[in-house]
Amino acid sequence: MTYLAHESCEATGRIFSVAGGRVAEIFIGEGPGYTDPELTPEAIAANWDKVTDRATFDVPTQMGDEIGIYLKHLS
């Protein structure tokens, strides 16, 4: 994928999967998760489907984004 090495490509510090004629960006996303101030192992096990839900997600790009996601789920 020579475009990634070209001076006009602005992508830097990112990860791509390139194989068999396909190119796709790989990224870290954060799902809605499960919130419980007590957060016991039993509560996590009982709500594991919420912890691992990938139907919707945010993609934090900096610490401020992560804090915003955290605060959104506390309210």
Side-chain angles (χ1 to χ4, degrees), residues 13 22 24 42 46 57 73:
R22 176 181 174 268
E42 294 80 14
F57 56 86
H73 291 286

Side-chain angles (χ1 to χ4, degrees), residues 35-75:
T35 304
D36 180 350
E38 304 301 319
L39 207 56
T40 65
E42 294 80 14
I44 294 171
N47 291 280
W48 191 244
D49 59 330
K50 294 177 185 174
V51 172
T52 59
D53 181 14
R54 295 184 185 181
T56 61
F57 56 86
D58 294 298
V59 181
T61 58
Q62 57 185 333
M63 189 56 155
D65 295 343
E66 176 69 17
I67 292 169
I69 294 166
Y70 172 75
L71 293 174
K72 178 175 71 174
H73 291 286
L74 283 181
S75 59

Side-chain angles (χ1 to χ4, degrees), residues 5-51:
H6 193 272
E7 64 186 31
S8 66
C9 180
E10 297 179 6
T12 191
R14 292 158 61 182
I15 302 169
F16 295 88
S17 172
V18 182
R22 176 181 174 268
V23 60
E25 185 168 9
I26 297 171
F27 60 90
I28 296 174
E30 183 173 336
Y34 169 70
T35 304
D36 180 350
E38 304 301 319
L39 207 56
T40 65
E42 294 80 14
I44 294 171
N47 291 280
W48 191 244
D49 59 330
K50 294 177 185 174
V51 172

